[in-house]
Amino acid sequence: MPAPPCTSCHAARAALRRPRSGQALCGACFCTAFEAEVLHTVLAGRLLPPGAVVAVGASGGKDSTVLAHVLRELAPRLGISLQLVAVDEGIGGYRDAALAAVRRQAARWELPLTVVAYEDLFGGWTMDAVARSTAGSGRSRSCCTFCGVLRRRALEEGARRVGATHIVTGHNADDMAETVLMNFLRGDAGRLARGGGLGSPGEGSALPRCRPLQLASQKEVVLYAHFRRLDYFSEECVYAPEAFRGHARDLLKRLEAAGKGRRGLDEEATPGTPGDPAQTPTPKAVPTF
Amino acid sequence: GCFKAFYTHKFRAMLGKNRLIFPGEKVLLAWSGGPSSSSMVWQVLEGLSQDSAKRLRFVPGVIFVDEGAACGRSPEERAKTLAEVKPILQTIGFPWHVVALEEVFSLPPSVLRCSSQEPAAPEGAYKAAVDSFLQQQHVLGAGGGPGLAHGEEQLPQPHAQPPWDPQRLLRPPAAVQTEALSHLFCSVRTLTAKEELLQTLRAHLILHVARAHGYSKVMTGDSCTRLAIKLMTNLALGRGAFLAWDTGFSDERHGDVVVVRPMREHTLKEVAFYNRLFSVPSVFTPAVDTKAPEKASIHRLMEAFILRLQTQFPSTVSTVYRTSEKLVKAPRDGPGAGDCSPRCLLCMCALDVDAADSATAFGVQTCSHPSQIQSPTSLTETGTPQGSCCSSGGGRAQSRCQEASSREDPQACILEQLCYGCRVNMKDLGLGLGRAPGLSD
C-alpha cells in the first residue's frame, strides 16, 4: 500500500506518522515541525533570552547531537551564541569513542568545544575508579548515581570556564518520564519536588539550566537525527545495565506497549511535595506545577 | 498473640493519629468481600466490642456493592455470591446495605457536585469532642446499672435510624438496567478504562448511599501494597496531580463525606496472615481484570512490575508508600482557590488542566491540532459560554468551553470539564459520553 501524501506540504509522500498525533508527514516537513516545536518551547517558557551564551552539554549521543543541531539552526532567531561542553567521566572503552564523535561535530559545526575531565576536577577519581571502589561494598549498583551528580557538577564547571549564562541538556520526554517514575520508586521526595517544570532558574550560584527537547518523545529525536543525517555515537555506557534507571525504562516501555500513547505525560503531573522551605516560588519563565 | 496486638495497634494508631473520626460519627465501611476490607471490618467489629476506654467510638454501617453486571457474571452467579455475603453481614451485625452497581443509573445529578466543604475543625475540637463523649458516657453509666455493659447499650444515637428493611435491599435490579450496565462496560475499548470507569461508578454509588443515610465518613480497606501500586498506576494514568487524595489517609474531595483508609499501613502479606490465623471471613468476587494477563491493562502491568521489583529491592512498596505520605495537598493557585476552583466532572478533583499551560506537555497534548502551536494566544482568550451544555456544569469552568462551544460539540464540551486523567479514559469509551450514567444531563 503506497504511503499517503504528506499532510503538511501535500507534495511529497509521507515518510512517517508522528507518534502522538498520528499525523503523516514527509521528512522535511517533520523536521520543520520538530524545530518549530522546540522554538515554541524555548519562547513560551522564556528559557533562553537574547544575548545568552548557552553551554550545550554534549555527550556525542543522539539527544545532545539533535539539541546542538536544532539550537544552531535557531540561534540567529533567538539571538544566542553556543558553546559545546563535553564531560569526560573516564570510562574506558566508552567515553573516548563518544568524545571523538563530539570533536567531529564541533569541527563540522564550527562551534567551540571544551572538555572537562573528572580526573582533573575531582582529584584523580574517574568513574572506573569509583566503580572499582564500590564494587565490593554492596553498593555496586549505585555507581551511576554518583556519575549523575558528578557530571552535573562538571557541566557547571565547564560552563563557567567558557563564560556561559545558561546550560542546556538534551533530555527528552522519555527521560523525564523515567525520572519521575524512578524518583517515586526510590522515594526521592526532594528530587520530585525540584523536578517539575522546564528546568531550573539556578539555585544559589548555579547557572540556570533547561531542557529544550523535554517535550519531544525519544522516537521523534531519533527520527529527526535520521532525516537530518546527523552523526552521533549510539552505544550504551558500560555501566548502564546496573543502573536503577533501567527498571524505570523497562516499566516505561511496557506501559507504552500496554497503553498505546497514554504514558506521554506522567512527567507533567508531578504532585506538590513539601519542598525545601527555602525554595522560592519559581519565576514565571518556568511554568509551575 | 504479639502479631495480633501489633496488627490491631496499627489499625488503632492510624485512626487515632489522624483524629478525623469523631465519637458518635456514622461511618460507612466499604466491604468488597476481599481480604483487606474484610480484615478492616473485623477490626472495627473487635474494636467496638472491647469494654475498655480504648474502645472505638463511632457508629458503623457496612456497604457491599454487587458489581456482577460490569464483570459479566450471570444472575445465578451473582445470587450465589449474595447468598455467601448475607450470612457474613448478619454475623457482623452492623446495619448493612447491599447495593447493585446498576443503581448508578438512578443516581441524581447532585452526586457529581461537590457539596460545600465543612470547615476543618480547629485543633482542640477532637480532644474536646472525645472528652465530652466520655463525660456523657460516664453520666449515663452512673445513672444505669453497674459496670460498662450498660454504658454500651446506652451509646447515644445522634441520628434516628431509618426503619430497617433488609428484604427491600436484596431485590435484584431490573433486567433492563443490568443490560444497560453490561452494554456500557462492553463498549469500553480498553481494560484500563474499564477499571477506571468501574472505580468511578462505585465511588459515586457509595458516596450516594453514605449521603442518603447520614454517614459522614466512608472507610475503604486499601492496604499498603495496593496503595503503592495505585500510586504508580495513577502516575501512569496522568493523575499525578491527585496522588495525595487518591492514596492519602483522608480524601475530602466530595466535601460532606470524607473517605478514609485505615488499612494503609498494613501490607497484603500481614492481612493474609491475620485473616488466616484468626479466621476472618471473606468472599471471593471476580473483578473485571481477574485472570487478565499482565499486558491487559495499566493496573495489571504496574502491579506485576511493583511486585517483581519488590523481590529485588524489598523496600520498594514501603518506599513508595512513604513517598505518598509526603505528598502535600497543595492547591494550584495558592490557598483559597480550593473550594471554588472548577472540578472534574467525573473524579471531582480540582481541574489540573489550564489553558495557559501551552508551553508544557499538557498544552501540547490537549491542543492536538498542530496549528495551535503557532498561535498560543488563542488558547488564553476566554469566551462566554453558549448553549445549554455549558450551563449544566453548574457555573464552573465556563471559560474552558470557548473552543468547544464554537463547534457546538457536546462531547468536546464535556471533555473540557474533565481532568487530564479522566479525559484520556473518556476517549476509550465507545458509546460516546451521552450514555454514561449521570452525564446525560
Side-chain angles (χ1 to χ4, degrees):
Chain A
M1 189 170 125
C6 169
T7 52
S8 174
C9 66
H10 305 288
R13 284 238 167 272
L16 64 105
R17 274 196 190 279
R18 292 198 75 177
R20 255 185 219 145
S21 58
Q23 196 190 11
L25 292 174
C26 66
C29 292
F30 167 69
C31 290
T32 314
F34 187 88
E35 285 161 10
E37 281 162 23
V38 175
L39 180 63
H40 172 78
T41 303
V42 172
L43 289 178
R46 277 175 262 175
L47 301 175
L48 303 173
V53 178
V54 180
V56 179
S59 63
K62 63 180 185 338
D63 299 317
S64 57
T65 303
V66 166
L67 175 68
H69 181 89
V70 172
L71 283 184
R72 192 166 161 275
E73 299 283 317
L74 298 177
R77 224 179 312 183
L78 291 171
I80 58 177
S81 65
L82 296 179
Q83 291 271 351
L84 290 179
V85 177
V87 175
D88 176 7
E89 303 100 339
I91 300 175
Y94 165 71
R95 191 38 81 192
D96 359 356
L99 279 179
V102 182
R103 290 202 168 91
R104 283 198 302 273
Q105 289 165 359
R108 186 174 316 122
W109 293 328
E110 292 164 353
L111 288 175
L113 168 64
T114 311
V115 179
V116 182
Y118 277 11
E119 217 173 1
D120 302 327
L121 203 53
F122 301 124
W125 279 100
T126 61
M127 267 324 288
D128 287 337
V130 172
R132 270 195 301 273
S133 80
T134 59
S137 68
R139 287 201 302 274
S140 60
R141 289 193 281 205
S142 60
C143 63
C144 297
T145 312
F146 292 117
C147 188
V149 178
L150 294 178
R151 185 175 26 209
R152 280 156 176 79
R153 184 71 188 84
L155 205 52
E156 187 78 34
E157 182 57 36
R160 239 171 248 295
R161 281 187 199 167
V162 301
T165 55
H166 292 74
I167 296 178
V168 296
T169 48
H171 292 96
N172 57 45
D174 292 55
D175 293 328
M176 302 313 303
E178 281 166 24
T179 304
V180 170
L181 289 173
M182 195 172 76
N183 286 338
F184 266 106
L185 291 172
R186 292 173 74 231
D188 201 333
R191 286 199 168 86
L192 279 173
R194 290 194 294 270
L198 280 170
S200 146
E203 288 170 47
S205 56
L207 290 174
R209 48 177 76 189
C210 64
R211 302 169 282 239
L213 296 184
Q214 189 170 338
L215 303 178
S217 67
Q218 185 162 283
K219 272 191 189 133
E220 301 210 318
V221 171
V222 174
L223 285 170
Y224 184 87
H226 167 78
F227 284 116
R228 290 290 196 224
R229 295 184 174 71
L230 299 177
D231 158 40
Y232 60 86
F233 181 71
S234 52
E235 283 171 35
E236 202 182 42
C237 173
V238 178
Y239 298 109
E242 291 155 45
F244 190 83
R245 186 175 278 266
H247 295 287
R249 191 164 289 169
D250 173 56
L251 175 61
L252 199 58
K253 292 290 164 250
R254 285 171 196 260
L255 283 174
E256 256 186 309
K260 296 178 195 61
R262 266 181 180 273
R263 68 106 186 108
L265 303 159
D266 62 340
E267 76 274 10
E268 278 307 320
T270 45
T273 41
D276 163 31
Q279 193 181 43
T280 51
T282 48
K284 238 181 145 184
V286 177
T288 54
F289 204 99
Chain B
C2 287
F3 176 64
K4 184 169 185 167
F6 159 77
Y7 193 88
T8 309
H9 169 77
K10 240 202 232 191
F11 186 79
R12 301 306 196 74
M14 180 57 73
L15 290 178
K17 177 167 74 174
N18 285 285
R19 298 188 158 203
L20 275 183
I21 305 197
F22 283 63
E25 206 174 350
K26 283 183 73 170
V27 177
L28 187 59
L29 310 178
W31 182 52
S32 64
S36 303
S37 53
S38 302
S39 207
M40 174 182 79
V41 170
W42 211 251
Q43 284 293 305
V44 171
L45 186 60
E46 291 201 342
L48 283 172
S49 65
Q50 272 180 355
D51 38 34
S52 74
K54 291 199 183 153
R55 188 179 52 197
L56 292 176
R57 296 187 188 98
F58 53 84
V59 180
V62 182
I63 179 169
F64 177 85
V65 178
D66 173 14
E67 298 168 0
C71 307
R73 302 185 80 206
S74 70
E76 294 78 33
E77 288 172 334
R78 293 170 69 178
K80 192 159 155 262
T81 305
L82 286 178
E84 283 176 55
V85 161
K86 208 172 140 200
I88 300 178
L89 286 174
Q90 281 167 344
T91 316
I92 294 170
F94 304 150
W96 47 265
H97 310 256
V98 170
V99 195
L101 194 63
E102 285 87 329
E103 292 194 31
V104 287
F105 288 117
S106 27
L107 287 183
S110 60
V111 81
L112 288 179
R113 294 203 188 107
C114 170
S115 298
S116 63
Q117 245 161 333
E118 305 215 341
E123 286 293 308
Y126 184 80
K127 189 132 191 357
V130 170
D131 286 343
S132 78
F133 183 87
L134 286 173
Q135 268 188 344
Q136 266 183 329
Q137 282 244 287
H138 186 71
V139 163
L140 292 168
L148 291 153
H150 276 253
E152 221 174 297
E153 285 153 22
Q154 288 162 36
L155 199 68
Q157 297 281 348
H159 304 91
Q161 295 279 27
W164 206 243
D165 182 11
Q167 286 310 110
R168 183 178 61 82
L169 295 169
L170 278 181
R171 210 175 45 217
V176 59
Q177 285 192 324
T178 306
E179 182 67 38
L181 193 67
S182 173
H183 197 42
L184 175 68
F185 272 86
C186 286
S187 75
V188 179
R189 291 188 205 112
T190 61
L191 187 58
T192 304
K194 223 183 263 204
E195 178 70 52
E196 287 293 297
L197 180 64
L198 181 60
Q199 284 183 18
T200 306
L201 294 180
R202 182 201 298 150
H204 286 165
L205 188 57
I206 294 179
L207 178 70
H208 174 74
V209 170
R211 274 187 183 142
H213 294 270
Y215 292 96
S216 50
K217 298 274 187 314
V218 171
M219 272 195 190
T220 61
D222 301 292
S223 64
C224 181
T225 314
R226 285 276 162 238
L227 284 176
I229 294 170
K230 186 170 187 179
L231 187 144
M232 298 301 294
T233 304
N234 282 9
L235 205 54
L237 291 173
R239 291 186 60 82
F242 313 127
L243 292 178
W245 286 273
D246 289 340
T247 60
F249 173 72
S250 69
D251 179 355
E252 59 294 307
R253 73 181 83 169
H254 300 285
D256 51 346
V257 177
V258 178
V259 177
V260 297
R261 301 181 177 101
M263 298 295 288
R264 66 191 297 261
E265 283 206 355
H266 296 82
T267 62
L268 264 183
K269 208 173 181 180
E270 287 168 352
V271 169
F273 271 114
Y274 185 91
N275 288 5
R276 171 105 179 151
L277 289 174
F278 301 103
S279 312
V280 172
S282 60
V283 178
F284 171 72
T285 46
V288 273
D289 61 353
T290 301
K291 289 199 199 166
E294 190 180 302
K295 274 202 194 149
S297 72
I298 301 225
H299 304 77
R300 257 279 180 262
L301 206 143
M302 200 52 89
E303 179 185 40
F305 176 80
I306 297 267
L307 294 177
R308 203 170 34 231
L309 199 63
Q310 174 82 359
T311 58
Q312 249 195 313
F313 299 91
S315 57
T316 299
V317 167
S318 56
T319 300
V320 175
Y321 167 72
R322 292 273 164 239
T323 310
S324 82
E325 282 195 312
K326 291 180 189 154
L327 297 173
V328 149
K329 294 166 178 170
R332 270 191 96 198
D333 302 302
D339 273 355
C340 35
S341 59
R343 300 276 176 148
C344 171
L345 208 53
L346 281 183
C347 69
M348 306 299 300
C349 289
L351 281 180
D352 57 343
V353 191
D354 202 328
D357 271 332
S358 63
T360 69
F362 270 147
V364 171
Q365 189 79 330
T366 53
C367 63
S368 52
H369 191 68
S371 70
Q372 288 186 4
I373 293 197
Q374 270 100 49
S375 54
T377 50
S378 68
L379 290 173
T380 55
E381 278 162 31
T382 53
T384 49
Q386 296 163 33
S388 57
C389 66
C390 303
S391 55
S392 70
R396 330 176 233 122
Q398 281 152 353
S399 63
R400 295 169 203 287
C401 274
Q402 79 275 21
E403 296 283 331
S405 56
S406 59
R407 292 197 291 264
E408 285 179 18
D409 183 353
Q411 177 146 353
C413 196
I414 290 179
L415 276 181
E416 308 257 335
Q417 293 186 61
L418 298 180
C419 67
Y420 178 73
C422 290
R423 280 188 203 191
V424 180
N425 278 329
M426 263 301 160
K427 290 185 177 140
D428 282 339
L429 285 197
L431 275 184
L433 305 174
R435 299 284 289 273
L439 287 180
S440 50
D441 59 339

